[in-house]
Amino acid sequence: MDISLKCVGSVPGRGPSMEQSELEREGFQLREDLKFYFMSPCDKYRARRQIPWKLALQVLKIVMVTTQLVLFGLSNQLVVSFKEENTMAFKHLFLKNYSGTDEDDYSQTVYNQKVFYERINHVIDQYRQMGNLSLGTVSYENDEKRKALKICKQHYRKGLMQPFNDTFYIDPTVETECLHMDRESLTSDLPLDSIINSTFFNLEFYRLIKVEISFRLKGIDLQTIRARELPDCYVFHNRIIFDNQAHSGKVKIFFDSDAYIQDCKDWHISGSIQKNTHYTLVFDGFVILTCLTSLILCTRSIILAVKLQRRFVGFFIHRYNRKVSSGDRLEFINGWYIMVIISDLMTIIGSVMKMEIKAKNLTSYDVCSLLLGTSTLLVWVGVIRYLGYFQKYNVLILTMQASFPKVLRFCCCAGMIYLGYTFCGWIVLGPYHEKFEDLNTVAECLFSLVNGDDMFATFAQIQQKSTLVWLFSRLYLYSFISLFIYMILSLFIALITDSYETIKNYQQNGFPVTNLHEFLRGGDVLYEMQTYEKHRVNPVPLICCCLKPQEDDNPILRN
C-alpha cells in the first residue's frame, strides 16, 4: 500500500515549506513532551531537575496507611475478642451441660421431651439469677418499654398424627404465639412455676416448628483501657432457638448473639487516655491530608495525559491524515494512577469513619475495616509500578499483562466444566455426603480437590447406602481430579509459562514497536504505519464472534 506524505489543511498565504516547518516544530515539541511524560521519576529528575513528589508521597503514604491499619487492627481485635468471649460465656450460662464446642452449625441437641422442658426452664432460671452468676460486666437492660424476656413458639394451626395406621391431617398454616415476661416478675423471689404460664408450654411436638427465647443484655468493654482507648458500651441481643422443623425426633438448639456498640451515656476517665485519643485523631488527620494530596497529584497527571493524547491524535491526523490506533491511545491512560485514586478515596473515607469510631460517634467497624484493608492492599500493590521501571523487576508485571487475556479465555472454558461438575455433584451426592449438601459447599470442596487438599476424606466420607451412588461417586471424583489436576491445571500453568518465555525473548531481542514508540524514537512513522496496515485485522462484529480472526495471538507488549 502506497502511503504518501501530505500536508493537510494548508493555511492561505503560506507556502508548503512554511507549513512543513511549523509541523516539524510542533512535532518536535510534542515528541519532547511525550518523552518527558513517559519517563521514570529518576529520569525526570535528571532531565529537568523535577523532584519526584508523587514517588516520595507514595512512600510516605505506605508508611502512614500501614501504621494506621495496624493501630485500627489492634483496636478491632479487642472488639472481636470481647464479642466472641461473651458469646462463649452466654452459651455456658444459658445452655445446660454445654460442652464448650458446637455440634456442626448448632450448639446442642435434644432427643426427649423431659430434657426439652428442662432446657427451657434452665434458660429462664439462669436469666433470673444473671446478676449473681455472671463474671463479666453485663447486666439487664433498663428499658421500661421493652419486656425482659420473650418466648415465642411456632406451630402448625391444626394437626392430627397417627403413625400406627399411616394416617395424618395437617394444616400447613403457621401460627406464632409469644409470651412476654417483665424483669420485676423474673427477679422476684417467687418460684419459677408460679410465674410461668403452664398452658403456654403444653406443646404438641408433632405440630411444633420451633421455640425461640430472646432477651437483651448490656455490657461495657473495659479491656480497651489497657490499650489507652475509651471503653465501648454494648447491647447483646441473644436468641436461643429450639429447632424442630425436621420433626425427626432430633431438636437442634441454636444460640445466636448479636452485639451492637452504642454510645455510653455518662462516663468519666481520669488519666492520659483522653490525650492518647487526641493524638490518634491528629495522626488520622495527617493520613487524610496525605491521601488528599496524592489524589490531587494523580488526578492532575491523568488530566495532563488526556491533553497529551488529544495533542498526539490531532497531530497525527493533521500530519499523516491517519487515526491513532486504540492501543496507542491506551498508552496514555495510566492504570496505576486510577488504582492510586481509588485507594486514596477509600483511605480518606475509611479514615473519617475511623475518627468517628474513635470519638464514639460511629460503630461501623466492618465497613471501616473493609475500606482500610482494601486501600492498604492497593497501596502496596501500587509499589510494583515503581519497581517496573527496572527491567529485572518488570518481568512480573509484563507476564501478568501478557497472560491475562489468555488466562481469562481459558478460565471461561474451564469454568463451564467446573460448573457442570458442581451441579452434578450437588444433585447426586448431596443426600449421601456432607460436603455436597449445597452448591456453595460443593464449589468449595471441588476447589479444595483441585489444590490437592482433603482428598482421602472426600472419598471416605461417602455413605455406602446406595451401591449405584457409591460407584458413581468414584467415577465422579476420579474423573474430576484427573481432568483438573493433570490436564486443566497443567495447561493453566503452561499459559503463564509461555507468556513468561515470550517476555524474556522480548527483553533480549526487543519489544514490538508501535507508531507511538516510533514517533518518540524519531524514526520513520510512515514505514511503521505501512507495516501496521499489513498486519491490521478489521474489527469483527459481535454477531460474528464465532468466526476465527486472522491475527497473531501474541499481544503487543509495552514497557
Side-chain angles (χ1 to χ4, degrees), residues 42 98 123 153 172 246 331 345 347 388 405 418 454 477 554:
C42 297
Y98 181 65
V123 174
K153 62 177 180 179
E331 285 281 358
L345 289 174
T347 304
Y418 190 85
D454 213 18
L477 292 174
N554 291 329

Side-chain angles (χ1 to χ4, degrees), residues 48-83:
R48 299 183 184 179
R49 295 299 176 182
Q50 177 176 314
I51 300 176
W53 295 109
K54 286 196 294 292
L55 174 59
L57 195 63
Q58 294 305 316
V59 174
L60 176 63
K61 192 175 71 173
I62 288 175
V63 177
M64 297 186 68
V65 169
T66 305
T67 304
Q68 182 192 46
L69 182 72
V70 171
L71 294 177
F72 180 75
L74 295 175
S75 176
N76 194 24
Q77 186 177 357
L78 297 177
V79 174
V80 173
S81 64
F82 184 75
K83 292 180 180 179

Side-chain angles (χ1 to χ4, degrees), residues 113-309:
Q113 297 184 17
K114 180 182 178 182
V115 177
F116 183 88
Y117 286 116
E118 288 179 354
R119 293 291 193 270
I120 294 179
N121 292 334
H122 179 77
V123 174
I124 300 174
D125 188 58
Q126 292 293 99
Y127 181 82
R128 297 180 65 190
Q129 306 177 51
M130 184 69 191
N132 299 325
L133 294 177
S134 176
L135 298 175
T137 57
V138 292
S139 64
Y140 302 108
E141 183 182 29
N142 188 17
D143 191 351
E144 298 178 355
K145 298 180 180 180
R146 188 186 300 273
K147 296 296 182 179
L149 196 68
K150 184 173 72 171
I151 305 175
C152 295
K153 62 177 180 179
Q154 287 186 1
H155 54 79
Y156 297 118
R157 178 181 295 175
K158 296 179 181 179
L160 177 63
M161 196 72 58
Q162 295 178 349
F164 63 90
N165 59 358
D166 301 328
T167 59
F168 69 92
Y169 167 73
I170 197 74
D171 184 353
T173 304
V174 177
E175 292 182 340
T176 302
E177 298 180 23
C178 292
L179 175 64
H180 298 273
M181 307 177 69
D182 54 29
R183 187 156 61 92
E184 287 74 12
S185 61
L186 286 171
T187 55
S188 63
D189 296 332
L190 297 175
L192 184 61
D193 296 336
S194 62
I195 62 176
I196 292 181
N197 187 359
S198 59
T199 59
F200 181 82
F201 290 100
N202 290 334
L203 305 175
E204 296 177 342
F205 286 91
Y206 67 90
R207 291 196 303 131
L208 181 66
I209 299 176
K210 71 175 182 179
V211 175
E212 179 177 329
I213 306 175
S214 60
F215 54 92
R216 294 161 67 97
L217 297 172
K218 285 194 171 184
I220 301 176
D221 183 11
L222 295 179
Q223 65 174 337
T224 56
I225 296 179
R226 293 186 290 106
R228 296 185 175 276
E229 296 183 7
L230 296 177
D232 293 320
C233 295
Y234 287 83
V235 175
F236 297 96
H237 184 200
N238 300 317
R239 294 187 307 154
I240 301 175
I241 301 173
F242 297 80
D243 188 2
N244 191 39
Q245 295 185 36
H247 291 88
S248 59
K250 176 183 178 180
V251 178
K252 301 176 182 178
I253 303 178
F254 296 87
F255 185 93
D256 183 31
S257 180
D258 296 325
Y260 303 98
I261 303 177
Q262 65 178 14
D263 296 336
C264 297
K265 296 181 180 179
D266 186 14
W267 55 271
H268 176 73
I269 301 175
S270 60
S272 60
I273 295 180
Q274 191 70 19
K275 185 182 296 185
N276 182 74
T277 303
H278 292 334
Y279 290 154
T280 306
L281 294 177
V282 170
F283 177 76
D284 292 333
F286 276 114
V287 173
I288 294 176
L289 182 62
T290 303
C291 292
L292 187 61
T293 306
S294 173
L295 176 65
I296 294 174
L297 292 178
C298 291
T299 305
R300 172 179 168 273
S301 298
I302 291 181
I303 295 175
L304 175 62
V306 173
K307 291 181 179 179
L308 284 175
Q309 183 194 65

Side-chain angles (χ1 to χ4, degrees), residues 529-544:
M529 291 171 61
Q530 291 177 345
T531 306
Y532 174 76
E533 287 291 335
K534 290 181 181 179
H535 297 88
R536 187 173 66 89
V537 181
N538 294 326
V540 182
L542 182 62
I543 195 173
C544 302

Side-chain angles (χ1 to χ4, degrees), residues 175 386 436:
E175 292 182 340
Y386 298 101
F436 292 84

